[in-house]
Amino acid sequence: MSQPPDGSMAASPDPGVRRLDGLAALPAGLEGSVATVGMFDGVHRGHRALLDRVAAEAAARGVPAAAVTFDRHPLAVLRPGSEPPLLTTLDRKVELLGEAGMAVVLVLEFTRELSEVGAEAFATEVLFDGLAARAVVVGENFRFGHKAAGDPALLASLGRPRGIEVVAVPLQTHDGEVVSSTRVRAELASGDVAAAAASLGRPYAVEGVVVAGDRRGGPVLGVPTANLEVPAGIATPGDGVYAGRLTDLADPIARPAAVSVGTNPQFGTERRVEAHVLDFDGDLYGHRVSVGFSHRLRGQATFADVDELIAQIHADIAEARRLLAPPGGTVQAGGLAS
């Protein structure tokens, strides 16, 4: 099985999790782990149920909990252009896996060569030998190896002679449907960020750097916005206006915001994520921020003139203020975002 050119340990955004890039980064003489494998895109509630079991099995054995994941969606290699948008960047996924109790995250570069590794070879090289797994926890629908020939039954038959237990965890459901990354993407595409939050177990958020836009928000509309540069290939909610929160990752205070996603049909811009932060007059240009989505306010629309647009923007801000107010309180009017 090929290794990425750089086998060194990458810096992880979560100091509680050890990120290893490629099998070459695995330490020699690893004395055991409880391992799992998956794309884990979004680290949603279904993933969390699986990861909770991994963490519990690892604690019972006194060994680290380890997750194996991939640096890109397999379809990006197998059928380029058909891959879905991702729910998290790789760094954020590793951070979320750490928050879910994983002590080690092994990131494999997904290549065509890796896709052609047989199920037995993958289990042996990565899980049994590489991570010295004493137990492996997977979802009941888990498939692995070339042409997805491996399943939990095969994994159990391979592990049994080595004394390795294999645990198949039932799929998690919510409102009668299986929780999956595909489901979360569909909920986001429809703009149903409340449903996406229920599936994820947290509000959906995107991260990026605040960059200059058309500078129309402050001078023309009187409502300055932070224009977020979202990494390519990351999912965003369907076009519309949302209530949510913006967090400057260098100063992690979640500030209430009214957020626009789309092309702004009034002016015909490229598709953007723009946040007007309530009660804030700081400068966010060049800052890396996270924008979370709590409520959908409305879809995109065009207006008879700029005055009508401005009136609607202020109505959106008032509604965002109402929805984001703490229980029994209000979000007071104040300054504007830079």
Side-chain angles (χ1 to χ4, degrees), residues 70-135:
F70 306 100
D71 69 335
R72 69 201 73 190
H73 196 284
L75 288 177
V77 173
L78 301 177
R79 292 202 300 275
S82 70
E83 68 274 16
L86 296 177
L87 301 172
T88 57
T89 62
L90 179 57
D91 282 349
R92 179 60 176 151
K93 177 168 66 172
V94 171
E95 184 178 48
L96 288 168
L97 289 169
E99 291 174 4
M102 299 302 99
V104 175
V105 176
L106 173 61
V107 179
L108 298 181
E109 180 186 18
F110 195 92
T111 61
R112 188 164 291 277
E113 183 181 11
L114 179 60
S115 77
E116 294 171 355
V117 173
E120 182 172 353
F122 183 90
T124 301
E125 294 181 35
V126 177
L127 301 174
F128 302 158
D129 293 343
L131 286 169
R134 297 185 188 175

Side-chain angles (χ1 to χ4, degrees), residues 123-174:
T124 301
E125 294 181 35
V126 177
L127 301 174
F128 302 158
D129 293 343
L131 286 169
R134 297 185 188 175
V136 179
V137 180
V138 294
E140 63 182 4
N141 67 338
F142 177 62
R143 297 295 182 272
F144 68 105
H146 185 49
K147 295 186 177 179
D151 61 11
L154 176 62
L155 192 58
S157 70
L158 295 172
R160 196 172 299 116
R162 296 169 174 258
I164 298 170
E165 182 181 3
V166 172
V167 179
V169 176
L171 299 179
Q172 297 297 302
T173 61
H174 179 67

Side-chain angles (χ1 to χ4, degrees), residues 10-301:
S12 169
D14 182 346
V17 60
R18 187 181 189 190
R19 171 175 166 175
L20 304 172
D21 284 300
L23 289 178
L26 286 169
L30 190 64
E31 295 185 357
S33 71
V34 172
T36 188
V37 188
M39 185 63 197
F40 297 116
D41 186 28
V43 193
H44 53 62
R45 286 177 57 179
H47 295 143
R48 287 299 296 255
L50 174 67
L51 296 166
D52 285 348
R53 183 64 181 271
V54 177
E57 296 285 344
R61 291 169 172 80
V63 296
V68 181
T69 193
F70 306 100
D71 69 335
R72 69 201 73 190
H73 196 284
L75 288 177
V77 173
L78 301 177
R79 292 202 300 275
S82 70
E83 68 274 16
L86 296 177
L87 301 172
T88 57
T89 62
L90 179 57
D91 282 349
R92 179 60 176 151
K93 177 168 66 172
V94 171
E95 184 178 48
L96 288 168
L97 289 169
E99 291 174 4
M102 299 302 99
V104 175
V105 176
L106 173 61
V107 179
L108 298 181
E109 180 186 18
F110 195 92
T111 61
R112 188 164 291 277
E113 183 181 11
L114 179 60
S115 77
E116 294 171 355
V117 173
E120 182 172 353
F122 183 90
T124 301
E125 294 181 35
V126 177
L127 301 174
F128 302 158
D129 293 343
L131 286 169
R134 297 185 188 175
V136 179
V137 180
V138 294
E140 63 182 4
N141 67 338
F142 177 62
R143 297 295 182 272
F144 68 105
H146 185 49
K147 295 186 177 179
D151 61 11
L154 176 62
L155 192 58
S157 70
L158 295 172
R160 196 172 299 116
R162 296 169 174 258
I164 298 170
E165 182 181 3
V166 172
V167 179
V169 176
L171 299 179
Q172 297 297 302
T173 61
H174 179 67
D175 290 340
E177 294 183 22
V178 172
V179 179
S180 67
S181 302
T182 299
R183 172 177 171 172
V184 176
R185 291 187 196 103
E187 289 165 342
L188 288 173
S190 71
D192 194 347
V193 294
S199 295
L200 288 166
R202 65 184 188 278
Y204 183 69
V206 295
E207 294 182 7
V209 176
V210 177
V211 297
D214 297 320
R215 301 185 185 275
R216 185 184 294 115
V220 177
L221 304 177
V223 184
T225 59
N227 181 29
L228 190 65
E229 188 173 62
V230 179
I234 297 297
T236 54
D239 291 359
V241 179
Y242 299 85
R245 297 185 186 277
L246 181 145
T247 303
D248 184 341
L249 298 180
D251 177 24
I253 299 174
R255 302 179 186 277
V259 187
S260 171
V261 179
T263 57
N264 193 338
Q266 194 80 20
F267 300 107
T269 63
E270 72 273 12
R271 197 166 190 272
R272 294 175 176 171
V273 175
E274 297 180 89
H276 168 71
V277 187
L278 281 61
D279 315 321
F280 180 74
D281 59 3
D283 183 355
L284 292 173
Y285 285 121
H287 291 224
R288 185 165 188 82
V289 303
S290 171
V291 173
F293 300 87
S294 302
H295 309 272
R296 181 176 172 87
L297 303 183
R298 62 176 175 87
Q300 282 199 323

